[in-house]
Amino acid sequence: MKEPKYGYALVQSLEEKGVEIEANTLYPLLRRLEKQGLLKSEWDTQEAKPRKYYRRTVLGDFMYEEMKKQWSAVSETMNGLLREE
């Protein structure tokens, strides 16, 4: 999440990438990530409808990069196992 996004925009973005998620699932996850210090949120009250925007923190960016490395390692291992069959 390089640019801040509000909840519904996150749902749309994930769906465009083939990840279907209900808003009722996403919002508690966003709150949990915020409590863990991985996201921060800010309200934008400039528009007619106030929106809460989320952005990764420095810690969130670090954890994201670490998780990508771990996923890549697991993927490579699994691909190696599948090639053996």
Side-chain angles (χ1 to χ4, degrees), residues 20-38:
E20 292 189 26
I21 187 165
E22 295 288 326
N24 292 337
T25 301
L26 180 65
Y27 287 109
L29 177 60
L30 292 171
R31 285 192 296 275
R32 203 170 2 208
L33 292 171
E34 190 171 13
K35 281 184 182 178
Q36 293 171 351
L38 302 174

Side-chain angles (χ1 to χ4, degrees), residues 2 5 7 11 28 45 51 53 55 61 65 67 71 79-80:
K2 294 178 184 178
K5 288 190 179 181
V11 169
T45 57
R51 291 183 172 157
Y53 282 81
R55 171 190 290 267
D61 286 339
E65 293 302 323
M67 291 176 74
W71 181 261
N79 286 333

Side-chain angles (χ1 to χ4, degrees), residues 9-10 16 19-20 22 30 35 37 39-40 44-46 49 51 53 55 57 68-69 73-74 77 80:
L10 287 168
E16 288 170 5
V19 179
E20 292 189 26
E22 295 288 326
L30 292 171
K35 281 184 182 178
L39 291 180
K40 73 175 192 175
D44 179 0
T45 57
Q46 302 295 338
K49 183 178 180 183
R51 291 183 172 157
Y53 282 81
R55 171 190 290 267
T57 62
K68 284 193 328 186
K69 289 177 195 174
V74 169
T77 301

